[in-house]
Amino acid sequence: MLEKSSKKLEKTVLVGIVTKNQSENILKEYLEELSFLTFTAGGIVIKIITQKMESPDPKFFLGKGKMDELYAYNKSNDVSSVIFDDELSPAQQLNIEKFLKCKIIDRTGLILDIFAQRAKTSYAKNQVELAQYQYILPRLKGLWTHLERQKGGIGMRGPGETEIETDRRIVRNKINLLKKKLVSIDKQMSTQRGNRGSLVRVSLVGYTNVGKSTLMNSLSKANVFAEDKLFATLDTTVRKVVVENMPFLLTDTVGFIRKLPTQLIDSFKSTLTEITEADLLVHVIDISHSNFQDHINSVNFILNEIKADQKPVLLVFNKIDKYKNDKENIKDVFDIEYEDKSLEKLKNNLTKSLEKRPYFISALNKTDINKLKKELYKKVREIHITRFPYNAFLYPDVN
Ligand code: GDP
Ligand code: MG
């Protein structure tokens, strides 16, 4: 994992492959995101290595020629880690590490590292630790093979095996302990959630870095940490918000990301409980990002995984102020080709192709926040008066 102690950015090489299932363009986007993740973790990308292949090499992931190239490059450039965009098998990771003699990290390991760095509450810390142990467990086998080879086979099997068995037992015990701890915190938290009464709950969901926390700050007076890095924080923040006298609870959640392994979603399920218990979701999308459609799909995928895909959703396209500068990068939405790539045209196209009316805002500049507030009020009111029918007169209907 990347060390955070030194302020110097760690020199990093990224590796990705073009396959039948992964075109050159898609790889480019993944690698851009991986660079950003690397930066978030404290590294700087000095080279990117890509290869076209049928499927990854089972031993070294890359072909032999590329591995030699990588070795030579690392040697003359003092590279401290090589980060692979895809998940490596425990055996691949070990083989590559031995060959290149530097830290080898895959996307999952990198994401876990960032989560670990950013977890603040003990709850979040426990969840990351659990995910990390689950990630390490199958990789201990590699470690064993490693030791066995170093020491030679005969006579070493006993101690080697004992060592690995001990390690495994320790890790398994830790996993069980963490699971128990999380169950008990879950209970506490669900009691806390119960105590919040029947106030309507709204959850901000969306890809990471789209502006959820910024929007939370614009809608409430909360001071939620927002920065231009992926996963600014793992912890959810809940605030009571009042719009036109109407109180409701607003939750800022962790951002989703592509290629998040299912096993990881599993360890973060509790974090996602806020979403499964919400009455209304506000799906925030960064309209200035060239690949926002893919982001929408990833978010919907995870919502589906946690069975929250049937909830009412308000689609909010954020960062309209930034779109102007980046419009050359914008692709055709929903495969509709169009020449005019102005924001207005894009808005029209989106409004036409989406089932529900989307909202277009700038959370940073507070542009059109009031329109969104009005819609939120309407939606929250609908739910609120089903719970407190005698309160209806307090909240006038708006159109
Ligand atoms: P989150 O990961 O979804 O919570 O995103 P954040 O709220 O942390 O925002 C990520 C980055 O985007 C920060 O640097 C924000 O200042 C920036 N940002 C958020 N909303 C806007 C916006 O409307 N316009 C622009 N230009 N930047 C924004
Ligand atoms: Mg945030």
Side-chain angles (χ1 to χ4, degrees):
M1 304 265 153
L2 300 178
E3 282 122 34
K4 269 82 54 182
S5 48
S6 75
K7 288 219 175 64
K8 232 179 83 208
L9 293 174
E10 279 191 49
K11 286 191 194 170
T12 307
V13 175
L14 302 187
V15 176
I17 53 169
V18 177
T19 61
K20 291 192 294 289
N21 308 324
Q22 186 163 284
S23 72
E24 214 161 327
N25 277 338
I26 290 185
L27 177 65
K28 193 171 157 262
E29 271 152 24
Y30 281 161
L31 288 175
E32 260 164 31
E33 191 170 270
L34 196 68
S35 302
F36 202 23
L37 283 167
T38 305
F39 171 68
T40 304
I44 180 154
V45 176
I46 57 166
K47 190 175 176 68
I48 292 179
I49 291 207
T50 62
Q51 185 169 23
K52 248 189 210 147
M53 53 206 315
E54 278 285 302
S55 57
D57 181 75
K59 194 165 176 207
F60 286 115
F61 193 81
L62 292 177
K64 184 73 175 65
K66 279 284 171 190
M67 284 302 287
D68 289 336
E69 185 189 321
L70 194 52
Y71 179 78
Y73 182 85
N74 284 3
K75 220 174 158 189
S76 46
N77 291 282
D78 189 27
V79 170
S80 84
S81 14
V82 178
I83 303 182
F84 288 72
D85 190 45
D86 296 277
E87 194 163 350
L88 297 171
S89 73
Q92 280 169 332
Q93 187 159 4
L94 187 75
N95 292 335
I96 301 167
E97 209 158 79
K98 273 190 186 166
F99 184 83
L100 294 178
K101 298 185 181 65
C102 70
K103 266 188 290 185
I104 304 301
I105 301 163
D106 61 11
R107 185 180 259 258
T108 311
L110 181 64
I111 291 174
L112 282 174
D113 188 73
I114 296 169
F115 273 137
Q117 205 177 330
R118 278 158 190 261
K120 294 226 170 57
T121 59
S122 71
Y123 186 60
K125 281 183 186 149
N126 280 335
Q127 286 188 73
V128 183
E129 220 178 307
L130 175 62
Q132 281 183 316
Y133 279 123
Q134 282 169 337
Y135 177 73
I136 287 169
L137 192 60
R139 284 163 176 80
L140 285 174
K141 187 165 182 275
L143 196 65
W144 172 45
T145 327
H146 183 56
L147 290 175
E148 191 190 40
R149 270 196 211 151
Q150 251 180 5
K151 294 176 186 168
I154 299 171
M156 292 317 296
R157 195 181 278 157
E161 210 167 278
T162 316
E163 216 169 291
I164 182 65
E165 282 310 317
T166 314
D167 283 357
R168 275 202 187 140
R169 205 174 46 243
I170 293 172
V171 171
R172 275 202 205 100
N173 284 344
K174 290 227 157 138
I175 289 178
N176 286 335
L177 201 74
L178 283 166
K179 278 186 176 163
K180 273 191 200 138
K181 246 183 173 172
L182 285 170
V183 168
S184 108
I185 310 179
D186 265 346
K187 269 195 201 137
Q188 271 174 2
M189 285 172 80
S190 110
T191 317
Q192 279 171 13
R193 277 195 295 266
N195 289 344
R196 284 189 216 144
S198 338
L199 278 186
V200 176
R201 294 180 203 169
V202 181
S203 254
L204 293 166
V205 297
Y207 208 71
T208 190
N209 218 48
V210 296
K212 295 179 294 299
S213 302
T214 311
L215 179 59
M216 172 101 173
N217 287 336
S218 306
L219 289 173
S220 67
K221 293 190 180 73
N223 205 355
V224 179
F225 187 55
E227 64 170 342
D228 202 8
K229 280 187 178 178
L230 294 173
F231 309 117
T233 165
L234 229 199
D235 302 302
T236 52
T237 318
V238 187
R239 289 279 180 283
K240 188 168 160 185
V241 178
V242 180
V243 176
E244 307 269 344
N245 277 340
M246 166 80 68
F248 62 92
L249 295 171
L250 185 64
T251 315
D252 181 19
T253 61
V254 60
F256 301 163
I257 192 154
R258 284 177 289 199
K259 287 192 181 181
L260 195 66
T262 321
Q263 122 230 4
L264 257 183
I265 301 177
D266 223 43
S267 353
F268 295 115
K269 262 202 179 128
S270 325
T271 295
L272 305 172
T273 318
E274 286 291 347
I275 301 173
T276 57
E277 291 188 357
D279 300 297
L280 170 68
L281 305 180
V282 175
H283 184 165
V284 186
I285 300 139
D286 176 356
I287 200 169
S288 74
H289 197 289
S290 63
N291 220 24
F292 68 79
Q293 280 193 75
D294 212 18
H295 293 176
I296 297 175
N297 293 338
S298 307
V299 171
N300 287 340
F301 175 79
I302 295 178
L303 288 179
N304 184 39
E305 283 274 306
I306 60 170
K307 302 190 174 61
D309 52 331
Q310 297 301 322
K311 290 189 184 289
V313 186
L314 237 149
L315 286 180
V316 177
F317 289 86
N318 186 33
K319 304 201 190 180
I320 51 170
D321 60 295
K322 203 176 166 202
Y323 177 80
K324 292 174 204 135
N325 313 326
D326 288 5
K327 68 179 172 195
E328 294 76 33
N329 291 326
I330 299 293
K331 296 204 201 84
D332 303 318
V333 278
F334 301 109
D335 300 323
I336 307 166
E337 281 185 30
Y338 59 101
E339 282 301 304
D340 175 6
K341 300 212 167 167
S342 66
L343 181 62
E344 280 316 304
K345 182 76 183 168
L346 179 62
K347 277 181 174 179
N348 282 340
N349 279 340
L350 285 168
T351 310
K352 260 189 270 164
S353 25
L354 292 165
E355 277 168 41
K356 286 179 209 130
R357 181 186 160 184
Y359 287 79
F360 300 94
I361 62 160
S362 164
L364 196 65
N365 301 342
K366 302 210 160 111
T367 316
D368 289 338
I369 291 282
N370 281 337
K371 280 189 205 160
L372 175 62
K373 274 190 175 171
K374 206 172 149 191
E375 181 62 19
L376 265 174
Y377 173 84
K378 242 172 89 179
K379 285 266 184 330
V380 171
R381 180 185 181 277
E382 276 168 23
I383 306 166
H384 187 91
I385 59 175
T386 59
R387 287 181 198 167
F388 307 94
Y390 44 86
N391 266 358
F393 75 94
L394 285 174
Y395 307 109
D397 197 0
V398 286
N399 283 303

